[in-house]
Amino acid sequence: MKFITPVVLVMLLPVFGMSQKSIPDISLRSNRNTEINLKKFADTVNHPVIISFWATWCTPCINELEAFNESYEDWQETTGVEVVAVSIDDARSTSRANSLAIGKGWNYTILFDENQELKRALNIANVPATIVIYKGDIIYTHNSYHPGDEEELYEKVKELIK
Amino acid sequence: MKKILILSALTGLYTISLKAQENSSVQPEKTKLIITGGVESNAAWYNRYDEKFLFFEDSRFGSNTYLKTELRYGHFFAGGQYELYKNIAVLGSPKAFNGKQGLGTLYAGYQSDKIDVTAGYIYDQFGSGLAFRTWEDRQLGLNNALIGGRIAVRPVKGLELKILGGNIRNIFSKSDGEVYGADMELQLNDALKIKAKKWRYNIGSSYVLRHTDYIDTINEVPRSVGVVSLRAGAKNDHFAIQAEWVQKSKDILSNGSGQVLYDSGKYTGNALLINTSYTGKQVGINVTLRKLRNMDFRAERGSLFVNNLINYLPALTPQHHFSLQNIYPYNAQGGYYILTGLNNIFNVGEIGGNAEIYYNVPKNTGLGGKTGLQLSLHYGEFHAIDFESDSDFGASIKDLNYNSNKFGDLLFRDYGFEVKKTWNKKLKTEFNYTHFNYNGFIIESGGPGTPTTAADFIAVDGTYKINKKHSLQMDLQHLWSREDIQHRGNWAAATLEYSWAPYVSFYATDLYNYGNDKKDEQIHYYNFGTAINYKNARLSIGYGRQRQGLFCVGGVCRLVPASSGFNASFNYNF
């Protein structure tokens, strides 16, 4: 049995090399007192959305969201882009996430992926990980963060609304 | 047999999808097959001998590789993960993985708004996880997926009911014990259509049952152990409170190293968790209180470290991000330990709390200056639960006032603050101070011992953006440490990183244990390397030394041995 599975897995890859980039049908609790279904959200909004996976214990993640925040007003005016910050903090720190965001002056919608369902569904190995979605599809994916990455990301967003 | 069934389900989907593709030119709107997946590999090539770093494993090459794929077709889904640990598993992962490979997970199911059905390997969590949580953490080599089935239904808006059952994944096998659970979560405002917008209420409850056929001829050990959890919460735009109370029926009493206390098996467990928060304009405050007593809950007797866990008992103190701060991480004490070796007195569990304030100091104020600054403060401490003993010597668990709630000896305390300031478009700085009190005997080895390390930490960190794409990051850290159980004394550390966004970065870091009491252990733990990003792929390569210590992700810790050598990691998702 053991050898069949990898064979099946590997077989699947070339056949469907054109893997579809779309958002999983998963609902998460948000800091706006509502539950948001990612797929429905992605299908209904007309502007580009940056989804940033972060955690309260992840410094590069926080640096990335701070960098977005510094330009967020400009970005929104020019492109209408929305930032959604998905906290993968588990029970240890999930209650911290919203307080930290407010203490940073962030005005993002925050989603709580407490048992990392969305992170797993998108095959994200580590945080920070950032994806750009537009009209229901994933357009761009980036792992890790270094200062300046936000410029590249914003270029991708600008290309979308041209 | 189960595997064959799931495989045939996979093959079924495969066929359906091929047909779907054939038809797709005719009906472009038809349900599409979606395939996603990812590869992650972490590898190391260890030095056999590098000063104090000795390596005894059979092979010098270790790697943990995960190949994962998931298929979705309308409401149906199926997926799996193949794992390889060759030639050995990376140090720190459970040694039972060494040299093995095989199917780590495999699952298939149906998901819609009203109902989810899943068979195979399942990740889930009830409430905050005190009663039940199954998850994967590759960095810890932890995967306690439930192997079995689960049904979740959402009959009305705001109500979710779940039932599940099976065994816990244990390396490439499964636990002896079976686990069954039921959970209810109710958002009262939605379910009862409460119009009042100001406050939102939720309640929940779970029951988890573990059954093993294990028979102990010496101890009277309950074969079935049940855990009940009751939860309630309320919140409005500024305030939130969540409480969870958990009661475990009579069970054995074990410590973090898998040892079971003689003549135990008649001690109940319980936990209480209260989370409160206030969020105002630019300010967030959090207070968390928790008590744990005999809450170690596993699907197999005598399981060690991260194996066969059924619930999740995270340390509630903040996770720090500087390398020297992580020399003293807290590890929650859910089981028993011996606080003073001389008298053989046992303690069970922990009691304590943690508070944090985050404040965004506005621009153009006295404290904030022209550009504003970000301030955070934290204070937390956890104690043994004290008890009154009948006798001075040889007091065993029998003599304990088992249900006491009195704060006993200190296990861990940390407090400190962090200030972050953006000076201009180019320069950002951060200053951090943290004080630690750390009972190393209990936290690292389950006792016995009372000495408590006291340590003070400071760090400055600066990020300088040379231009849009190029930047430098640097930090300097120092740790003053007194009464360290390994007599390691003071440390100094520095990091330098250069990055060319979004493609490449280079880093060099050194932790220097210059204050070690033993001259020959005043070692430099240096590391340098590079990371490359391209589209959805990331590759990093490094060389250096890893210090021995407790390595924690989330609330779970494992002891990582010292090592030296090359390391590489790669991940790609599609």
Side-chain angles (χ1 to χ4, degrees):
Chain A
M1 273 310 288
K2 279 194 171 171
F3 68 93
I4 294 178
T5 323
V7 173
V8 170
L9 288 174
V10 172
M11 201 169 73
L12 287 169
L13 304 181
V15 173
F16 307 113
M18 29 49 83
S19 65
Q20 300 285 345
K21 290 279 174 191
S22 81
I23 304 290
D25 193 358
I26 288 171
S27 297
L28 296 177
R29 199 164 53 80
S30 88
N31 62 335
R32 316 272 197 229
N33 284 340
T34 50
E35 203 157 82
I36 292 180
N37 180 295
L38 258 289
K39 189 166 166 50
K40 282 178 191 150
F41 172 72
D43 287 341
T44 47
V45 294
N46 286 318
H47 49 258
V49 179
I50 296 172
I51 298 184
S52 171
F53 284 82
W54 71 291
T56 56
W57 40 262
C58 163
T59 307
C61 303
I62 290 170
N63 291 342
E64 178 176 50
L65 288 165
E66 280 176 351
F68 292 171
N69 201 39
E70 281 160 23
S71 314
Y72 197 30
E73 278 179 25
D74 291 346
W75 287 8
Q76 282 197 307
E77 261 175 42
T78 319
T79 62
V81 68
E82 179 179 357
V83 172
V84 174
V86 180
S87 148
I88 63 151
D89 285 278
D90 64 26
R92 174 175 189 174
S93 48
T94 186
S95 62
R96 232 166 247 152
N98 195 36
S99 304
L100 187 145
I102 283 169
K104 294 272 177 200
W106 298 343
N107 199 20
Y108 312 133
T109 297
I110 294 170
L111 298 182
F112 302 98
D113 192 18
E114 200 175 322
N115 208 23
Q116 308 185 354
E117 203 186 345
L118 182 66
K119 174 177 172 261
R120 256 193 313 274
L122 287 165
N123 302 298
I124 289 164
N126 297 303
V127 287
T130 310
I131 60 178
V132 177
I133 57 176
Y134 190 50
K135 296 187 173 161
D137 288 322
I138 297 174
I139 306 296
Y140 175 76
T141 313
H142 184 74
N143 295 311
S144 82
Y145 172 77
H146 290 105
D149 281 1
E150 68 277 9
E151 311 280 353
E152 165 93 0
L153 189 75
Y154 185 53
E155 289 303 316
K156 298 281 172 197
V157 170
K158 278 201 290 195
E159 279 169 26
L160 290 175
I161 55 134
K162 262 181 192 167
Chain B
M1 194 55 215
K2 204 184 280 165
K3 282 184 181 173
I4 296 173
L5 279 175
I6 297 171
L7 257 184
S8 22
L10 260 172
T11 323
L13 263 173
Y14 183 77
T15 325
I16 294 170
S17 64
L18 282 176
K19 283 189 179 149
Q21 284 203 322
E22 283 163 15
N23 293 341
S24 63
S25 55
V26 189
Q27 288 165 293
E29 287 307 298
K30 209 175 157 96
T31 310
K32 282 188 283 186
L33 179 80
I34 296 167
I35 303 163
T36 58
V39 181
E40 180 180 0
S41 186
N42 301 304
W45 177 260
Y46 299 104
N47 293 327
R48 281 268 178 224
Y49 179 79
D50 166 24
E51 285 190 54
K52 286 276 156 190
F53 300 85
L54 301 176
F55 183 73
F56 300 108
E57 302 293 334
D58 295 338
S59 171
R60 289 172 60 192
F61 180 72
S63 72
N64 297 4
T65 301
Y66 309 84
L67 281 154
K68 187 186 157 211
T69 189
E70 183 170 289
L71 294 82
R72 282 186 176 264
Y73 183 75
H75 291 296
F76 295 94
F77 61 90
Q81 176 166 291
Y82 196 80
E83 302 172 10
L84 298 97
Y85 302 88
K86 299 275 184 180
N87 296 328
I88 56 167
V90 170
L91 284 187
S93 307
K95 283 196 174 181
F97 278 125
N98 282 359
K100 291 202 174 125
Q101 63 172 358
L103 202 57
T105 69
L106 191 60
Y107 56 89
Y110 174 89
Q111 183 191 32
S112 73
D113 287 349
K114 295 271 181 211
I115 186 165
D116 295 351
V117 182
T118 313
Y121 290 69
I122 295 157
Y123 301 111
D124 203 349
Q125 176 176 324
F126 294 170
S128 69
L130 285 168
F132 180 83
R133 185 189 185 205
T134 57
W135 78 107
E136 178 189 38
D137 196 308
R138 292 175 182 172
Q139 285 177 281
L140 294 169
L142 183 159
N143 189 322
N144 69 334
L146 182 82
I147 310 170
R150 181 185 70 158
I151 299 173
V153 291
R154 289 168 288 272
V156 293
K157 193 170 184 245
L159 175 65
E160 184 174 58
L161 301 162
K162 290 186 223 173
I163 54 164
L164 48 77
N167 302 81
I168 296 292
R169 177 181 169 190
N170 182 15
I171 310 297
F172 281 115
S173 175
K174 57 185 188 179
S175 63
D176 293 343
E178 290 150 18
V179 178
Y180 302 93
D183 180 64
M184 184 275 291
E185 185 75 39
L186 183 62
Q187 306 294 331
L188 286 166
N189 298 50
D190 294 334
L192 305 177
K193 299 190 172 63
I194 295 172
K195 285 276 179 272
K197 284 260 160 70
K198 212 171 173 192
W199 284 89
R200 292 184 59 83
Y201 306 94
N202 68 288
I203 55 168
S205 70
S206 341
Y207 182 72
V208 181
L209 178 76
R210 187 229 41 214
H211 180 81
T212 55
D213 287 329
Y214 187 92
I215 295 166
D216 190 319
T217 48
I218 307 164
N219 297 312
E220 204 179 299
V221 176
R223 291 204 273 166
S224 295
V225 174
V227 171
V228 177
S229 147
L230 296 173
R231 319 181 281 275
K235 63 178 171 183
N236 66 14
D237 290 343
H238 296 293
F239 295 97
I241 180 162
Q242 282 286 339
E244 179 165 3
W245 174 81
V246 180
Q247 179 73 40
K248 183 168 82 159
S249 69
K250 283 178 182 172
D251 193 5
I252 52 152
L253 203 45
S254 70
N255 69 1
S257 312
Q259 288 157 324
V260 176
L261 193 67
Y262 173 72
D263 198 25
S264 76
K266 44 181 179 271
Y267 295 98
T268 56
N270 54 53
L272 179 66
L273 171 70
I274 299 169
N275 265 323
T276 57
S277 70
Y278 166 79
T279 48
K281 207 180 172 206
Q282 315 287 348
V283 64
I285 302 172
N286 259 70
V287 180
T288 303
L289 304 167
R290 189 178 68 184
K291 179 186 75 171
L292 287 179
R293 178 186 285 122
N294 192 15
M295 279 307 296
D296 192 81
F297 190 33
R298 300 189 191 234
E300 197 167 307
R301 270 291 296 276
S303 298
L304 291 162
F305 311 115
V306 299
N307 293 344
N308 294 306
L309 293 168
I310 300 174
N311 63 349
Y312 182 51
L313 308 175
L316 291 179
T317 52
Q319 263 165 294
H320 299 296
H321 56 266
F322 287 103
S323 49
L324 293 184
Q325 282 175 309
N326 285 309
I327 287 176
Y328 300 118
Y330 186 50
N331 193 11
Q333 300 300 309
Y336 85 85
Y337 46 91
I338 305 162
L339 205 55
T340 52
L342 287 174
N343 292 347
N344 199 26
I345 294 173
F346 297 97
N347 275 66
V348 182
E350 63 165 41
I351 187 164
N354 190 65
E356 285 136 57
I357 300 174
Y358 300 94
Y359 181 40
N360 188 30
V361 186
K363 292 173 188 173
N364 304 317
T365 54
L367 186 59
K370 215 173 157 190
T371 52
L373 57 85
Q374 289 157 356
L375 190 64
S376 71
L377 298 158
H378 71 273
Y379 185 96
E381 62 178 71
F382 284 85
H383 290 253
I385 300 174
D386 214 356
F387 57 86
E388 285 157 30
S389 170
D390 294 341
S391 57
D392 291 338
F393 290 98
S396 79
I397 197 85
K398 284 177 202 160
D399 308 311
L400 311 185
N401 175 6
Y402 184 72
N403 286 312
S404 152
N405 281 326
K406 230 166 100 184
F407 278 53
D409 284 11
L410 184 69
L411 298 174
F412 184 82
R413 172 191 293 136
D414 76 345
Y415 55 82
F417 67 93
E418 188 176 286
V419 186
K420 254 186 151 174
K421 172 102 184 152
T422 303
W423 298 93
N424 51 45
K425 288 218 174 226
K426 289 195 177 284
L427 183 67
K428 273 184 209 176
T429 57
E430 178 181 335
F431 178 79
N432 189 305
Y433 167 78
T434 315
H435 173 85
F436 298 94
N437 290 103
Y438 178 84
N439 190 326
F441 285 115
I442 305 298
I443 297 168
E444 287 176 17
S445 62
T450 46
T452 298
T453 305
D456 289 283
F457 168 85
I458 59 162
V460 284
D461 180 299
T463 304
Y464 182 74
K465 250 176 127 170
I466 303 163
N467 57 36
K468 273 195 169 183
K469 304 246 167 202
H470 299 266
S471 65
L472 281 172
Q473 185 258 325
M474 192 178 140
D475 70 49
L476 296 170
Q477 310 171 37
H478 193 269
L479 182 78
W480 288 267
S481 171
R482 300 170 293 282
E483 291 190 54
D484 181 280
I485 59 165
Q486 296 168 51
H487 310 286
R488 289 174 296 186
N490 293 359
W491 293 74
T495 307
L496 182 66
E497 187 170 355
Y498 158 76
S499 70
W500 174 26
Y503 310 109
V504 194
S505 66
F506 299 93
Y507 66 89
T509 172
D510 186 32
L511 277 67
Y512 179 32
N513 188 197
Y514 75 90
N516 202 306
D517 283 0
K518 293 179 200 148
K519 275 267 181 287
D520 64 340
E521 289 193 7
Q522 293 180 354
I523 290 175
H524 285 275
Y525 296 83
Y526 54 79
N527 274 284
F528 51 87
T530 180
I532 301 157
N533 289 296
Y534 183 72
K535 291 190 175 172
N536 303 344
R538 177 177 164 84
L539 172 71
S540 72
I541 301 164
Y543 181 84
R545 291 161 161 183
Q546 165 78 44
R547 70 177 171 82
Q548 178 193 306
L550 211 53
F551 174 74
C552 306
V553 178
V556 178
C557 304
R558 62 173 161 83
L559 204 58
V560 180
S563 65
S564 134
F566 286 98
N567 58 71
S569 78
F570 172 76
N571 71 63
Y572 170 69
N573 56 24
F574 57 87

